[in-house]
Amino acid sequence: MPFLGQDWRSPGWSWIKTEDGWKRCDSCSQELRSENGQYTINHSIILNNGEEEIFSNECEYAAKKRKKEHFGNDTAAHSFYREKWIYVHKESTKERHGYCTLGEAFNRLDFSSAIQDIRRFTYVVKLLQLIAKSQLTSLSGVAQKNYFSILDKIVQKVLDDHQNPRLIKDLLQDLSSTLGILVRGVGKSVLVGNINIWICRLETVLNWQQQLQNLQMTKQVNSGLTLSDLPLHMLNNILYRFSDGWDIVTLGQVTPTLYMLSEDRRLWKKLCQYHFAEKQFCRHLILSEKGHIEWKLMYFTLQKYYPTKEQYGDTLHFCRHCSILFWKDSGHPCTAADPDSCFTPVSPQHFIDLFKF
Amino acid sequence: MPSIRLQGSDGEIFEVDVELAKQSVTIKAMLEDLVMDDEGDDDPIPLTNVNVAILKKVTQWCTHHKDDPPPPEDDENKEKQTDDITVWDQEFLKVGQRTLFELILAANYLDIEGLLNVTCKTVASMIKEKTEEIHKTFTVESDFTEEEEAQMRKEKLV
């Protein structure tokens, strides 16, 4: 079977054996479509500067019975259609159940629909940020295209709904500084792909940063209730839900009432207790003249020394039994006797570490 | 299924199933009082702070959530979580800001913990990760004078 792929690191096309011989996966889907409309196709469309390419190893067939007819009970069939999980290989042997690098995980886990879900958005952004800081050089060509296309969708989303701009600005800042270093400093020997593509990408990122900078929040014309019309305890309720001190400070700058609420010592005490441990307080204790603890100052000081707590609405999970990474609502073909006991949530850093050999 | 009648702030009467209405602690308490008073069952319960349009939205939420288990006791960890909103709730709350704030006030008045939680989380997630322009998002006229604003900007460099 000739190995034909877009670049030598990707798994190549997928092939299906039909009566007329071996056919590539996407052409096969045409025939199936004409036979009966019993399935859906979900292509991961990877944009390459306006040119659309549909990669055949990402077709998805909803009619599972049909898959069984074609492939029997062969578990290798999983590589033909797109399920949102990936096997993670732990030991370093020659035998692997499929291609499992960081880039491939990135392709298969369908982050482009994950960003539309508020529970997963911050998680995916954090993943992208960690990849931007240290893993760009390990991505295959396909994974790189996928990465930038997801980033493009995120930027468009932020420009549309004006939510989470600060988070994305941080991500783009990390990305542009890493790209700058790689393109100018290290260059061809380390980067996969033509250096000019990377220069184009750097320009795109700088362009996005400019667009976000220019993002003018349009003033909402609202004749009815506004935030400041809410009673104090409601505003407090909202303030107590923030896990980032900067959000409290920012909100406090809106009206004098909010300012007063945002300066409340108990609010900052709760925030410190949420993120940091008692031991860490003791090392950086800041007292006011009257002997009270200055919780707000302590929060910003502690933040410089220690990592803050991360909490996400929904994360990827890892099944220890099958060694598979998956989203909880997509599931995976688990062979364990007691599936629930094998799952652990995967933090973004843990995700990156899973693929370090 | 027995239903009760609620009278909104605009005078309109709205009928709703009793079990659903009991998700509101306020209404539940009112019902218990009414039973004790044994007055005419036909009188609708007056809800002076909520108009019928919002009541309908609240009823829609309560109908979808009627089989929810009671929320756990104050969980320290969950307090700071703003993005664990189910997809149904996310869609339900894709309404204008005015409706969103009215829902918060209604949930507060009617004392429906689940709805209050999810609406406040939504507002919090709209606010976070933004910059100073946040007041534009919420059409709040900044009450600060220029000197005060400059002072706050300086302090922000903490």
Side-chain angles (χ1 to χ4, degrees), chain A residues 88-92 100-102 130 134-135 138 348-357:
Chain A
V88 180
H89 196 84
K90 285 313 248 179
E91 301 89 37
S92 55
C100 55
T101 60
L102 178 62
L130 286 175
S134 61
Q135 301 290 322
S138 77
Q349 187 56 53
H350 185 196
F351 176 85
I352 307 278
D353 291 340
L354 277 174
F355 295 97
K356 282 187 184 157
F357 293 114

Side-chain angles (χ1 to χ4, degrees), chain B residues 131-146:
Chain B
T131 55
E132 300 83 40
E133 296 192 317
I134 198 169
H135 64 89
K136 286 190 190 165
T137 309
F138 294 104
T139 326
V140 182
E141 288 301 327
S142 182
D143 289 351
F144 289 113
T145 63
E146 276 189 33

Side-chain angles (χ1 to χ4, degrees), chain A residues 282-313:
Chain A
C282 296
R283 274 187 219 134
H284 298 273
L285 204 57
I286 303 176
L287 296 172
S288 69
E289 292 149 354
K290 294 182 197 165
H292 298 306
I293 302 182
E294 291 280 12
W295 290 105
K296 183 177 175 182
L297 282 177
M298 268 179 62
Y299 170 80
F300 287 108
T301 313
L302 287 167
Q303 207 193 20
K304 289 181 205 159
Y305 292 99
Y306 305 107
T308 50
K309 187 167 175 176
E310 285 179 8
Q311 201 169 19
Y312 304 101

Side-chain angles (χ1 to χ4, degrees), chain A residues 117-119 162 165-167 217 220 234 240-242 247 250 254-256 259 309 311-313, chain B residues 77 80-81 83 85 90 104 108 117 124 128-131 133-134 136-137 139-140 143-144 155-156:
Chain A
D117 187 340
I118 192 180
R119 297 167 301 174
H162 295 188
R166 217 173 67 219
L167 188 66
M217 304 263 173
Q220 298 274 336
M234 284 284 98
Y240 271 84
R241 292 180 190 266
F242 291 133
D247 291 326
T250 309
V254 177
T255 65
Y259 183 69
K309 187 167 175 176
Q311 201 169 19
Y312 304 101
Chain B
N77 278 336
K80 299 276 183 196
Q81 186 92 59
D83 53 2
I85 305 173
Q90 285 175 45
I104 293 184
N108 180 42
N117 257 336
K128 65 178 190 173
E129 293 296 334
K130 285 206 155 114
T131 55
E133 296 192 317
I134 198 169
K136 286 190 190 165
T137 309
T139 326
V140 182
D143 289 351
F144 289 113
E155 276 179 19
K156 200 187 168 187

Side-chain angles (χ1 to χ4, degrees), chain A residues 119 122-123 126 310-315 347-348, chain B residues 81 83-84:
Chain A
R119 297 167 301 174
T122 320
Y123 182 76
K126 185 74 188 181
E310 285 179 8
Q311 201 169 19
Y312 304 101
D314 188 22
T315 67
S347 73
Chain B
Q81 186 92 59
D83 53 2
D84 57 344

Side-chain angles (χ1 to χ4, degrees), chain A residues 82-122:
Chain A
R82 177 67 170 272
E83 285 202 334
K84 297 179 195 175
W85 53 266
I86 183 167
Y87 175 77
V88 180
H89 196 84
K90 285 313 248 179
E91 301 89 37
S92 55
T93 72
K94 282 188 192 167
E95 291 138 9
R96 296 187 181 190
H97 288 227
Y99 187 56
C100 55
T101 60
L102 178 62
E104 185 60 14
F106 198 75
N107 292 343
R108 292 189 59 166
L109 291 167
D110 194 16
F111 290 128
S112 58
S113 48
I115 54 172
Q116 300 301 334
D117 187 340
I118 192 180
R119 297 167 301 174
R120 298 176 181 175
F121 182 81
T122 320

